[in-house]
Amino acid sequence: MFTTSAENQQRAERMRLKVGLAEMLKGGVIMDVCSVEQAEIAEAAGACAVMALERVPAQIRAEGGVARMANPRLIKSIMAAVSIPVMAKARIGHFAEAEVLASLGVDFIDESEVLTPADEVHHIDKHGFEIPFVCGARDLGEALRRINEGAAMIRTKGEAGTGDVVHAVKHMRQIMAEIRNLAGMREDELYVAARDHRVPFSLLQQVAAQGRLPVPNFSAGGIATPADAALMRSLGAEAVFVGSGIFMSDGRTFAPREEAEQRARAIVRACTHFDQPEVVAACCEECDGAMKGLAVSSLEDRELFQGRGW
Amino acid sequence: MSVRRIGVLALQGAFDAHRRVLTGLGVEAPLVRSTRDLEGLDAIVLPGGESTTMQRFLARDGLFEALGEFVAARPALGTCAGLILLAREVEPHQPSLGALDVTVARNAYGRQRDSKVLRSETRLPGGPLEMVFIRAPRITRLGAGVEVLARRGDDPVLVRQGHAIGCAFHPELGNDDRVHRLLIEACAHV
């Protein structure tokens, strides 16, 4: 079906509002929260947004079972409690969960591999929604496929719920290196690159010309300390998501409140002053503990969340 | 004339988009994250973002006081959360710099689904201005001596007092650089 230029203009305008909110979150920390109390701790510590969910990734990993969208009651109570933007997760391909979240008026929807996928073939058609979406990616092709479907923000997948930053690093390096490679290509080579990345040529051409993704590029999946946040920002992440790293001691135990507050404040500060090691050092010093964590290299392939989505 | 240096407060928020517009206008636009970054600037942009996040940083290392002195003496453009920072009063209360005698209510136009792009005539020459509103704050009181340059319905959304300019929408997200030009012009009058 062909779209009219008025429809195209409307879609472009809507996309601008979506990417606009993502621009507002740059330089900040988006924190996973499972209760009103945690949301208030996150806001007081300086989080630029919260992700409302029933279980953080470390708990999902430890407890197993099917992970789904959070109960709307929980999401609404968090939206009522804080003034910063509230995000929530829908399962990959589960557009009915996304429609529920949109009807609640959440500010951003994360079509997330941390939840159990609902569709093995299709991602959600995100252009159809007024609410912006963020999606995970491991490489440039995956990022651009999600953007092509309407994602207004990309985050590296890393490996959520581990407290091990190694794959957040791997995925950010991969995306940034692939963007740099495009800059040196001739146009005839770009056609081949578009085929190899399985993305539209026009989108790849735009990335090659601008030297960056057309939407903000954030990082997630294993960031647990102020130094981790600084590392990801230095590698090109424009903001970071911290999931289990603030409120968990391990997959089954919450950190004491005071410790969670220290970690939250310290990671926020390190994220902004990532290029000043003496400030990051002071942030590290402020933290009494860190999540115990789980080395990604000790996990079997089937235990990885990052392979969900394509 | 030497090249203007207009700093962009980069604690958190849309600093990147502002820097792109300013450099496109031939201005140097260094990022400001600490008091020493204010040295040698002709003006400053306080971008949108989360004002509660910015407050955490302003409360440390004398940054709030240094910014207050800076905006009292030199031109400043505050957009969205930056408008909240420039205001005299904020609802619900939070500390602000007071360079603009207005009261601003946070998130008064609703959540992201209420965000919109509007076009209308303003006091700026050059035809209708495109205004991108994202979880925008609302100016609820205007002090004497505050000039209104644009409105959304009856609400003022672009205001000026002396060399302080406040904007409830996001000129950095549009394709129209007239609001940023106002700031550059203000540098000539200090």
Side-chain angles (χ1 to χ4, degrees):
Chain A
M1 204 174 82
F2 293 100
T3 51
T4 64
S5 64
E7 284 169 30
N8 279 337
Q9 201 193 336
Q10 201 183 12
R11 183 188 264 205
E13 198 156 280
R14 195 188 266 186
M15 196 62 189
R16 211 134 55 88
L17 284 172
K18 293 174 175 181
V19 174
L21 180 57
E23 291 282 343
M24 298 307 137
L25 302 174
K26 281 188 177 176
V29 180
I30 300 148
M31 299 183 193
D32 279 356
V33 297
C34 307
S35 66
V36 167
E37 187 196 5
Q38 289 182 356
E40 287 169 348
I41 291 173
E43 182 175 51
C48 66
V50 290
M51 176 79 70
L53 67 180
E54 217 129 316
R55 296 183 291 169
V56 295
Q59 288 172 293
I60 293 172
R61 191 177 285 288
E63 292 168 12
V66 176
R68 311 180 178 93
M69 171 186 81
N71 190 308
R73 201 183 314 125
L74 173 69
I75 297 169
K76 278 156 64 179
S77 65
I78 289 173
M79 286 167 63
V82 297
S83 68
I84 54 179
V86 175
M87 304 185 172
K89 288 182 192 288
R91 284 180 263 177
I92 289 173
H94 206 317
F95 55 85
E97 281 189 348
E99 282 163 4
V100 168
L101 296 174
S103 78
L104 300 178
V106 300
D107 297 294
F108 238 103
I109 298 172
D110 185 0
E111 186 182 18
S112 177
E113 70 282 0
V114 167
L115 304 185
T116 311
D119 193 316
E120 295 179 330
V121 180
H122 309 93
H123 280 254
I124 298 171
D125 172 10
K126 295 165 275 285
H127 286 294
F129 287 77
E130 267 185 61
I131 305 292
F133 276 72
V134 51
C135 288
R138 288 163 297 178
D139 54 40
L140 180 62
E142 195 174 4
L144 293 179
R145 287 193 293 279
R146 296 295 85 77
I147 293 167
N148 195 42
E149 294 157 1
M153 180 201 292
I154 291 297
R155 52 169 178 76
T156 56
K157 284 180 169 174
E159 190 53 35
T162 60
D164 185 350
V165 79
V166 65
H167 280 188
V169 168
K170 178 183 175 184
H171 300 155
M172 185 55 72
R173 281 193 181 273
Q174 179 74 25
I175 291 172
M176 300 308 274
E178 286 174 327
I179 292 174
R180 283 193 297 272
N181 284 343
L182 293 182
M185 286 188 189
R186 290 158 45 102
E187 184 142 320
D188 51 8
E189 293 167 338
L190 280 180
Y191 283 104
V192 179
R195 181 201 64 194
D196 292 345
H197 287 302
R198 296 186 284 133
V199 298
F201 174 71
S202 58
L203 201 46
L204 201 74
Q205 203 179 25
Q206 191 186 340
V207 175
Q210 296 184 337
R212 58 181 171 85
L213 293 181
V215 305
N217 184 16
F218 291 9
S219 179
I223 298 162
T225 69
D228 287 349
L231 175 65
M232 295 318 301
R233 292 276 280 123
S234 303
L235 287 171
E238 296 175 300
V240 301
F241 286 77
V242 183
S244 317
I246 288 173
F247 292 105
M248 302 305 288
S249 286
D250 59 45
R252 296 183 192 277
T253 327
F254 284 96
R257 180 181 171 125
E258 196 172 323
E259 216 175 287
E261 287 170 341
Q262 289 169 347
R263 289 190 210 168
R265 280 195 303 264
I267 292 176
V268 167
R269 187 152 180 248
C271 191
T272 290
H273 296 293
F274 67 95
D275 56 356
Q276 290 178 272
E278 64 284 1
V279 179
V280 179
C283 297
C284 295
E285 215 173 300
E286 282 168 26
C287 296
D288 281 331
M291 183 185 170
K292 177 166 174 256
L294 195 62
V296 173
S297 58
S298 70
L299 298 173
E300 302 281 343
D301 276 355
R302 62 184 163 72
E303 295 177 291
L304 298 178
F305 292 154
Q306 61 186 262
R308 300 164 166 183
W310 38 89
Chain B
M1 194 181 75
S2 63
V3 175
R4 295 278 183 212
R5 277 172 62 83
I6 299 183
V8 182
L9 188 67
L11 300 173
Q12 190 276 317
F15 49 87
D16 220 22
H18 275 291
R19 183 153 72 161
R20 259 179 254 148
V21 178
L22 290 170
T23 51
L25 287 167
V27 168
E28 263 184 59
L31 298 180
V32 174
R33 295 194 170 113
S34 67
T35 51
R36 65 173 181 274
D37 297 334
L38 291 168
E39 284 166 26
L41 297 181
D42 295 304
I44 193 163
V45 172
L46 311 175
E50 285 307 315
S51 64
T52 52
T53 304
M54 294 185 205
Q55 294 292 338
R56 299 290 151 251
F57 288 95
L58 294 172
R60 308 182 69 120
D61 310 323
L63 190 52
F64 184 85
E65 293 72 17
L67 268 182
E69 280 171 30
F70 187 91
V71 300
R74 296 193 175 273
L77 166 64
T79 61
C80 198
L83 162 67
I84 295 172
L85 270 182
L86 278 185
R88 177 143 314 158
E89 284 173 285
V90 183
E91 295 166 347
H93 176 76
Q94 62 185 41
S96 56
L97 302 171
L100 277 172
D101 185 13
V102 295
T103 302
V104 177
R106 293 184 54 211
N107 297 336
Y109 293 106
R111 306 191 73 94
Q112 175 64 12
R113 65 177 168 194
D114 308 302
S115 294
K116 49 175 63 100
V117 181
L118 301 174
R119 281 169 199 80
S120 75
E121 287 294 338
T122 68
R123 298 271 302 277
L124 304 181
L129 182 69
E130 182 190 70
M131 298 182 277
V132 180
F133 289 90
I134 295 179
R135 290 170 46 92
R138 181 163 168 231
I139 297 173
T140 56
R141 183 192 62 85
L142 278 178
V146 179
E147 182 188 3
V148 177
L149 299 174
R151 289 183 186 272
R152 170 181 180 171
D154 291 334
D155 298 341
V157 291
L158 177 60
V159 297
R160 179 166 61 184
Q161 184 173 27
H163 43 64
I165 304 163
C167 190
F169 56 93
H170 290 282
E172 78 282 10
L173 299 179
N175 304 310
D176 194 324
D177 53 24
R178 278 180 283 170
V179 174
H180 289 86
R181 285 177 190 276
L182 275 186
L183 179 66
I184 295 172
E185 283 161 24
C187 296
H189 301 302
V190 174

